Amino acid sequence: MAIEFTKYHGLGNDFILIDNRSSSEPIVTPEQAIKLCDRHFGIGADGVIFALPGENGTDYTMRIFNSDGSEPEMCGNGIRCLAGFLADLEGESRNKDSYRIHTLGGVMTPQLLSNGQVKVDMGLPRLLASEIPTILAPAQEKVISQPLEVAGQTWEVTCVNMGNPHCITFVEDVSTIELESIGPKFEHHPAFPQRINTEFIQVVRRDYLKMRVWERGAGITLACGTGACASLVAGVLTGKCDRTATIELPGGPLQIEWSEVDQRVYMTGPAERVFTGKL
């Protein structure tokens, strides 16, 4: 069976988008996704995203397989790309600028803006240790500025779940972090029973942060939307940044706001179509 796809990226975090609206289960297996994501022998991507029929009153459902075949709860850059992909699929029949999308991490609402950017209501951050999940604190307590020993070094970490789990640590200079070696040690640390995404954050100003990320199941990526959201929340919780800031990632900037009004986190950034093809 021929399968059409579209390649998208959000600040270099790239995905293969597949129209899966005719089935409630992904039409590509995790093993096939691994091959498709291979940058030498496949299309090349950080993950494969499926646009499935909506559930529980939502417009669509999002599923994603990482480049290692694992399935995360959701993906911030990916959901912006999905919004652009859905607009392409609907074409002239599209009658609204926002979608309610069911994900394993909850319902997300991306909105297509007139300037080509996509703004996503990422929902409420979850902060309890049981919600991350992590054993760094008792289940009903928050993990803020807690010590964590990784690779013989003690790091001060804050944990936030933005639909998927994140461990954030603030450093003097993100360029000095040996991400390829330290990232896997964080991801597979026994303190995180479901593994973890890890963000290393440099505070340039209270409204401007630099970030590098090791993503669970994907490794080093050029951007991570949920990670940027989690990092801003962590910065606010630790008193290091304002509630609205630019997060500079290797692939470019995201605008993140943790609203004082409704306590929800909002992410604004690009989603760009690269090319289409057929498997």
Side-chain angles (χ1 to χ4, degrees):
M1 179 180 68
I3 300 175
E4 296 182 349
F5 71 89
T6 302
K7 177 79 176 284
Y8 265 83
H9 80 88
L11 299 178
N13 196 192
D14 56 343
F15 306 95
I16 299 162
L17 280 293
I18 293 177
D19 181 0
N20 210 122
R21 294 175 295 172
S22 62
S23 171
S24 60
E25 290 295 324
I27 56 178
V28 168
T29 67
E31 293 74 22
Q32 290 171 324
I34 293 172
K35 294 179 180 179
L36 293 176
C37 290
D38 190 289
R39 297 190 183 278
H40 298 286
F41 298 101
I43 297 167
D46 291 320
V48 180
I49 294 175
F50 306 88
L52 295 94
E55 299 180 24
N56 302 320
T58 58
D59 298 311
Y60 297 98
T61 294
M62 172 185 179
R63 296 275 299 275
I64 175 172
F65 293 148
N66 284 324
S67 57
D68 71 348
S70 62
E71 181 172 8
E73 296 85 352
M74 78 103 51
C75 173
N77 287 316
I79 201 164
R80 295 200 317 276
C81 292
L82 177 59
F85 180 60
L86 292 172
D88 287 345
L89 290 179
E90 293 181 355
E92 295 182 359
S93 67
R94 181 165 68 94
N95 57 13
K96 56 183 178 180
D97 294 322
S98 65
Y99 301 103
R100 294 184 72 250
I101 297 178
H102 178 271
T103 78
L104 297 180
V107 176
M108 305 292 167
T109 308
Q111 177 185 5
L112 299 158
L113 303 181
S114 58
N115 62 0
Q117 299 273 296
V118 181
K119 182 176 182 178
V120 186
D121 176 354
M122 299 290 288
L124 300 171
R126 287 173 275 177
L127 304 174
L128 300 181
S130 61
E131 296 174 318
I132 303 304
T134 180
I135 61 171
L136 285 175
Q140 297 305 303
E141 292 185 10
K142 299 174 183 177
V143 179
I144 302 174
S145 300
Q146 291 288 325
L148 176 68
E149 186 171 328
V150 181
Q153 180 177 347
T154 299
W155 306 76
E156 194 175 89
V157 303
T158 297
C159 295
V160 179
N161 189 308
M162 286 301 315
N164 55 8
H166 295 270
C167 172
I168 301 96
T169 184
F170 292 89
V171 299
E172 289 295 320
D173 185 353
V174 291
S175 67
T176 64
I177 301 297
E178 296 180 358
L179 201 53
E180 191 165 336
S181 61
I182 196 68
K185 293 181 173 64
F186 271 90
E187 178 181 354
H188 297 282
H189 195 285
F192 306 108
Q194 294 181 18
R195 298 190 294 163
I196 199 78
N197 300 283
T198 307
E199 286 76 34
F200 299 87
I201 303 297
Q202 176 183 342
V203 179
V204 180
R205 299 189 308 269
R206 290 189 60 84
D207 64 349
Y208 181 69
L209 312 178
K210 287 186 176 181
M211 167 180 150
R212 293 180 68 201
V213 59
W214 178 274
E215 289 200 54
R216 178 186 61 167
I220 297 173
T221 61
L222 294 178
C224 176
T226 55
C229 293
S231 297
L232 180 102
V233 171
V236 173
L237 292 174
T238 56
K240 299 181 187 297
C241 76
D242 298 334
R243 297 185 75 99
T244 300
T246 298
I247 313 294
E248 186 75 36
L249 304 107
L254 287 172
Q255 306 302 317
I256 310 296
E257 176 192 3
W258 187 13
S259 172
E260 285 189 275
V261 177
D262 59 14
Q263 298 301 308
R264 301 174 78 84
V265 179
Y266 296 88
M267 169 188 63
T268 303
E272 299 185 28
R273 183 173 63 248
V274 184
F275 60 85
T276 61
K278 186 178 293 186
L279 301 175

